[in-house]
Amino acid sequence: MARTVGRLAGVLHRHPRLRLTLLLTAPLLWLAVLYLGSLTVLFVSAFWTTDSFTSQVVKVWSTDNFHALLTTPVYRQVVVRSVAVALAVTALCAVIAFPLAFYTARVAKPRWRPLLVVAILTPLWASYLVKVYAWRLILSEGGLADWMLGPFGTGGPGFGLPATVLTLTYLWLPYMVLPIHTALAQLPSGLLDASADLGARGWRTFRSVVLPLVLPSVAAGSIFTFSLSLGDYITVQIVGGKTQLIGNLVYANIELNLPMAAALGTVPVVVIVLYLLVMRRTGALSSL
C-alpha cells in the first residue's frame, strides 16, 4: 500500500498538469453540473408550455413564452423598469462610494483606515431582512424620514420606486466602496504630486489622473451592484408598494406558469451577460 502511494505521488510530482487536472476536476464538475446545468434546464424549460386547464407543464417546444415576453406591454415595462432600477442603484452607489472611499484611503490617518473599512463592511454582517424592514420603518408614514424632513415642509418618499432604489443603494453600497478604496489606496502619491507640480487643479487631477486609474475598480463594483439589484425581488415587495420588478413576475409565475417564469428568468441572465461583456472592455474583470 505504501509503495503504491509512493508511486502515485511520484507520478503526480513528475506531471504537474495531471496534478492540476485532478485538483480542478471536482470543482469544475460541480460548476458544470449544478450551475451551468441549472441554467441549461432554465433555458430549455422556457420553450415548454402550460396546459391552461390543469396548469401542468407540457413538454412541447414553442416560442410562445418569448413572443409574449416581447409583445406584452406589461412585461416590457417591467423589464425596462428593472434595468433602470439596477442602473440607478449602480450610479448612486458610485456617487456615494467615491468620496467615502477617497476619505478612507487617502485622507484618514493610516491607523484609522482599517477600522473605517470594517465600519463600512459591518452592515453586510446584519441580516438582509432586518435591514430591509428597518428601511420600511424609516420610510413609513410618521417614520424617521418624515420626522427629519418635516421641518423643511416635506416628507419621506414613502413606499414605491424611490424607496426601492434608496434601500437597494444602502444594501449594496459596500460592494462599491471596497474596490474603489483598494484602487485609491494603491494609487501612487507621486502621480498626484506630479499633477499638482504641473499646475493641474483638483478637478483636472481627478479627471485626468485619478479617474482613469480607478475606473476599472468602479466598473468592478458596478458588476455587483447591478447584478444584485437586477435579481432582487424581496426589497421591492417590502418597500416598493405596488411596484413590480422582473423578480416579482418570476416568483408570481413559478406555480401557475413555470415555463413563463423560466422565460422571464432568462432576461436577467442575458442582461447580466451583456453587462459583463461591456465591463470587460474597461478591465473590470481583472479588478475583481
Side-chain angles (χ1 to χ4, degrees):
M1 182 66 181
R3 182 178 299 177
T4 303
V5 173
R7 289 178 179 176
L8 180 60
V11 171
L12 294 177
H13 179 72
R14 292 190 299 269
H15 300 83
R17 291 186 178 181
L18 177 61
R19 184 171 68 249
L20 180 62
T21 301
L22 293 176
L23 288 173
L24 294 179
T25 296
L28 289 178
L29 186 62
W30 178 277
L31 175 66
V33 173
L34 294 184
Y35 184 71
L36 298 180
S38 61
L39 288 178
T40 302
V41 172
L42 172 71
F43 184 72
V44 171
S45 60
F47 290 94
W48 295 341
T49 57
T50 302
D51 189 285
S52 59
F53 182 73
T54 63
S55 297
Q56 295 295 318
V57 176
V58 179
K59 297 181 180 179
V60 176
W61 290 90
S62 173
T63 59
D64 292 345
N65 295 323
F66 290 101
H67 182 267
L69 186 61
L70 295 174
T71 58
T72 305
V74 173
Y75 291 148
R76 293 201 306 266
Q77 292 172 4
V78 171
V79 170
V80 172
R81 184 187 302 129
S82 301
V83 175
V85 166
L87 291 174
V89 171
T90 300
L92 282 175
C93 285
V95 171
I96 298 173
F98 208 101
L100 189 60
F102 187 83
Y103 178 82
T104 60
R106 311 294 302 189
V107 178
K109 295 181 179 180
R111 64 176 180 175
W112 292 108
R113 292 173 186 175
L115 296 177
L116 291 174
V117 173
V118 171
I120 292 172
L121 298 179
T122 298
L124 296 178
W125 303 346
S127 170
Y128 173 94
L129 288 177
V130 169
K131 292 183 289 187
V132 177
Y133 274 107
W135 273 99
R136 180 178 176 86
L137 292 176
I138 293 172
L139 299 171
S140 62
E141 185 177 356
L144 182 61
D146 286 344
W147 178 77
M148 294 181 63
L149 297 175
F152 300 98
T154 184
F159 301 141
L161 200 59
T164 302
V165 173
L166 183 62
T167 305
L168 290 175
T169 300
Y170 169 79
L171 291 175
W172 312 136
L173 180 61
Y175 292 101
M176 181 68 79
V177 174
L178 189 58
I180 298 178
H181 169 88
T182 303
L184 289 172
Q186 297 174 350
L187 188 66
S189 300
L191 292 178
L192 303 180
D193 295 336
S195 177
D197 292 340
L198 293 174
R201 297 182 179 273
W203 172 247
R204 180 60 186 273
T205 299
F206 171 79
R207 181 169 56 88
S208 302
V209 179
V210 177
L211 188 59
L213 295 176
V214 180
L215 187 59
S217 297
V218 177
S222 74
I223 293 175
F224 293 102
T225 58
F226 181 84
S227 59
L228 291 171
S229 300
L230 186 65
D232 191 280
Y233 73 97
I234 298 178
T235 296
V236 69
Q237 286 185 329
I238 297 175
V239 301
K242 297 181 179 180
T243 305
Q244 281 192 326
L245 300 181
I246 192 167
N248 304 113
L249 294 184
V250 173
Y251 180 78
N253 282 277
I254 285 178
E255 295 184 359
L256 299 177
N257 193 344
L258 184 59
M260 189 64 206
L264 288 166
T266 60
V267 175
V269 176
V270 173
V271 172
I272 291 173
V273 169
L274 295 176
Y275 190 83
L276 288 174
L277 292 176
V278 174
M279 292 298 104
R280 181 175 178 269
R281 300 180 63 88
T282 66
L285 299 183
S286 61
S287 299
L288 292 175

